[in-house]
Amino acid sequence: MVARVIPVDCFDLVIFGATGDLSRRKILPGLYRRWKEGQIPEGSRIVGAARSEMDSDAFRAMVGDALSEFLPERELLPETVAGFLDMLDYVTIDARGDAGWPDLANLMRAGKVRAFYLSVAPALFGDIAKRLKERGIADRDSRIVVEKPFGKDLETARALNASLASYFNEDQIYRIDHYLGKETVQNLMAVRFANILFEPLWNAQYVDHVQITVAETVGVGGRGEYYDNSGAIRDMVQNHMMQLLCLIAMEPPSRFDPDAMRDEKLKVIRALDPVAPSEVVRGQYRGKDDDDYLTQAGNPDSRTESFVAMKLHISNWRWKGTPFYLRTGKRLRARASEIAITFKEPPHSIFGESNQWRENVLVIRLQPDEGMDLRVMIKEPGPGGMRLKDVALDMSFAEALGDDLDIPDAYERLIMDVIRGNQTLFMRGDEVEAAWAWVDPVLEMMEARGDKPESYEPGSAGPEGSLMLMHRDDRRWREIK
């Protein structure tokens, strides 16, 4: 099955931090795949900008190596790779100085869409934005893309917003969260708002609870020092998991456009209740030798969490009384990201006590094996009376849409949305600040509590306390597998 290709206008894209890991692993391979699919027009230009001393030929060679490393061989068609590399240029640039900026300005062409991707430390956002504006490289139609972490608390997020707002209007700023670019996340919106089937049941009257899980098998590894200054709450809850929560809980927007969508997400964040200390569990994986958080973080006294589980409540008419359970962690049993909406049991069973009712659950799998399944009760085949059995109505994207379906990586979709000027899947400034305004008290509560995170074994389902968080409510986490 071939996906429909939507063309874009010719553009100039500048990637700051173009020699970094994210650029080599995700951004440039993603752009190549869009080029291969005919979605990037001839005459477009991609400019790498970084402090590394190299010329354009050396940059092209580096990108060619990155494509070979991070893309399957079947996608690397020689003529297509050559055409992609031909559109690349490179500028050695000093983000806080004067070097390289005149060269970058000379590469920009009149009449083309200009986008600037800041794959750099947040401390450089303001310096780069200032120089882009002051040197006339960015115009009124330009777009600037910024990566997380967007601040480490409300104060720093406000400072970053103010810094960018000094040089760019809000409709030019694209705060990227790659989770929103995942096909399954976008399909969550389609399931809710393009079908009458679920929306009448999508409320506290019919939903018992919601579980959102983002589990990773890897540890902090080489990111130990960075991660130890962040932790699971800052690294995952404030951004990725908050966005998933908003898409599950928000009211139907009046239309599918950026501000209508983001207005409804903002309402969800502002309706979140404060979290009680008993409703947050922090964990830290503790293994042998190098498979230990303290060793990888290089901090034997660390109190930073590599796992967090929490119970949230939303005080509005739709969700009052329905708990949302979030959990995320490193070095868990399996890699899995999913949203599970568990519906309430029928008010009365006509089939007798011998038939044990099992929950109807709608599961949206974000990774791996993107898809959805709905568990429903049916009659077990055979004679001997009415025996009920729960089964899954399963939809795997690969099976439903064809094994040859080419599902774009999240970055591919989001970068092309930047070029189109579509902000629907990007965060607005007030949305980011509202998320930090809710998260900050949680972090302050944890700091005031002063206890160490609960230990858990690498390869497990997390700390015992997270299981008890559910057991107290006579519920269970879905198995990570």
Side-chain angles (χ1 to χ4, degrees):
M1 180 177 180
V2 178
R4 183 169 65 94
V5 174
I6 302 173
V8 297
D9 293 330
C10 193
F11 61 86
D12 287 343
L13 171 64
V14 181
I15 305 171
F16 290 91
T19 58
D21 181 66
L22 178 63
S23 178
R24 293 180 63 255
R25 185 167 42 88
K26 290 290 186 181
I27 299 173
L28 288 161
L31 286 166
Y32 168 77
R33 295 188 78 216
R34 292 304 93 205
W35 164 258
K36 181 172 68 72
E37 296 299 323
Q39 209 166 348
I40 295 179
E42 295 274 357
S44 296
R45 176 182 286 156
I46 299 168
V47 181
R51 61 185 177 183
S52 301
E53 293 280 352
M54 67 172 73
D55 60 18
S56 293
D57 286 339
F59 180 63
R60 293 184 189 108
M62 186 208 79
V63 174
D65 291 342
L67 299 183
S68 298
E69 182 178 356
F70 297 109
L71 290 177
E73 187 176 352
R74 68 178 184 276
E75 294 194 28
L76 300 178
L77 311 176
E79 290 185 4
T80 308
V81 171
F84 179 71
L85 296 180
D86 280 346
M87 74 172 67
L88 303 183
D89 267 306
Y90 183 81
V91 175
T92 300
I93 205 160
D94 182 356
R96 286 178 164 158
D98 297 325
W101 292 99
D103 297 329
L104 181 59
N106 290 335
L107 287 174
M108 296 295 99
R109 300 168 296 174
K112 307 294 184 185
V113 170
R114 298 180 187 180
F116 305 96
Y117 197 120
L118 275 54
S119 180
V120 297
L124 297 177
F125 290 173
D127 295 299
I128 294 174
K130 177 181 180 182
R131 284 160 177 77
L132 287 173
K133 269 296 187 180
E134 288 183 346
R135 294 177 178 271
I137 300 172
D139 56 24
R140 176 61 188 85
D141 294 325
S142 296
R143 297 98 197 239
I144 187 167
V145 186
V146 292
E147 275 279 352
K148 80 164 189 128
F150 201 82
K152 61 176 295 183
D153 52 28
L154 178 57
E155 181 181 359
T156 55
R158 281 176 172 165
L160 280 173
N161 273 339
S163 178
L164 290 173
S166 298
Y167 309 104
F168 290 87
N169 296 331
E170 180 63 33
D171 63 3
Q172 296 178 279
I173 302 171
Y174 291 71
R175 299 170 187 84
I176 195 167
D177 184 332
H178 72 271
Y179 262 60
L180 294 184
K182 291 181 179 294
E183 284 291 327
T184 326
V185 174
Q186 296 169 60
N187 256 299
L188 169 61
M189 292 183 278
V191 166
R192 282 198 62 187
F193 305 133
N195 299 283
I196 195 63
L197 178 63
F198 291 113
E199 192 59 26
L201 308 179
W202 212 267
N203 54 61
Q205 183 177 354
Y206 297 104
V207 175
D208 178 77
H209 71 280
V210 176
Q211 296 182 26
I212 303 176
T213 297
V214 179
E216 300 178 82
T217 56
V218 298
V220 297
R223 298 174 66 234
E225 184 177 349
Y226 160 78
Y227 192 93
D228 203 47
N229 291 312
S230 174
I233 297 176
R234 284 188 173 96
D235 190 52
M236 291 297 296
V237 174
Q238 185 273 336
N239 40 74
H240 299 327
M241 302 194 81
M242 185 70 72
Q243 290 298 308
L244 297 180
L245 171 69
C246 287
L247 294 179
I248 287 288
M250 72 183 191
E251 294 297 318
S254 58
R255 56 195 177 279
F256 189 65
D257 76 8
D259 280 331
M261 289 284 296
R262 296 186 292 184
D263 286 346
E264 297 303 335
K265 289 196 293 178
L266 182 61
K267 291 176 186 177
V268 173
I269 299 172
R270 289 177 172 169
L272 285 171
D273 288 344
V275 179
S278 61
E279 295 175 338
V280 180
V281 176
R282 298 190 311 142
Q284 192 181 80
Y285 64 89
R286 300 299 309 278
K288 296 180 180 179
D289 302 324
D290 291 338
D291 196 9
D292 181 87
Y293 178 85
L294 299 182
T295 301
Q296 294 179 357
N299 181 4
D301 300 317
S302 174
R303 295 175 181 265
T304 301
E305 75 283 350
S306 62
F307 175 100
V308 66
M310 55 178 62
K311 177 183 176 182
L312 310 184
H313 294 277
I314 301 173
S315 286
N316 60 22
W317 277 34
R318 181 181 288 264
W319 294 115
K320 185 67 175 179
T322 296
F324 288 72
Y325 298 94
L326 277 58
R327 63 172 168 170
T328 182
K330 303 280 189 183
R331 282 301 281 123
L332 297 176
R333 181 178 299 148
R335 174 176 174 261
S337 297
E338 68 170 36
I339 302 165
I341 296 94
T342 301
F343 294 92
K344 293 181 178 179
E345 62 182 274
H348 172 67
S349 174
I350 66 172
F351 300 111
E353 295 182 1
S354 61
N355 281 299
Q356 184 177 1
W357 176 83
R358 296 188 181 179
E359 299 162 327
N360 297 137
V361 185
L362 174 64
V363 180
I364 300 103
R365 300 187 303 272
L366 309 181
Q367 62 185 19
D369 184 28
E370 295 92 339
M372 304 183 188
D373 67 68
L374 175 64
R375 301 203 69 85
V376 298
M377 299 295 290
I378 65 167
K379 178 189 178 296
E380 187 174 349
M386 179 69 73
R387 298 184 304 276
L388 300 184
K389 178 181 178 64
D390 75 310
V391 298
L393 302 178
D394 193 349
M395 188 208 81
S396 164
F397 278 6
E399 293 176 3
L401 302 177
D403 290 332
D404 61 342
L405 178 68
D406 182 17
I407 299 178
D409 180 81
Y411 280 95
E412 298 176 42
R413 165 66 188 267
L414 294 173
I415 292 172
M416 300 314 295
D417 276 357
V418 172
I419 302 303
R420 295 187 185 95
N422 184 352
Q423 288 186 310
T424 304
L425 299 176
F426 296 83
M427 293 178 288
R428 202 168 58 193
D430 54 357
E431 186 182 347
V432 171
E433 292 183 15
W436 277 120
W438 182 83
V439 166
D440 272 2
V442 178
L443 295 169
E444 291 165 4
M445 176 184 67
M446 294 295 98
E447 182 71 22
R449 203 161 69 175
D451 54 346
K452 287 187 175 182
E454 184 181 341
S455 298
Y456 64 95
E457 291 186 9
S460 69
E464 187 70 21
S466 71
L467 304 179
M468 296 306 300
L469 181 69
M470 296 287 278
H471 289 174
R472 289 198 302 265
D473 296 340
D474 198 24
R475 299 185 176 103
R476 292 181 180 273
W477 289 109
R478 284 176 49 81
E479 184 179 355
I480 300 174
K481 58 183 180 180

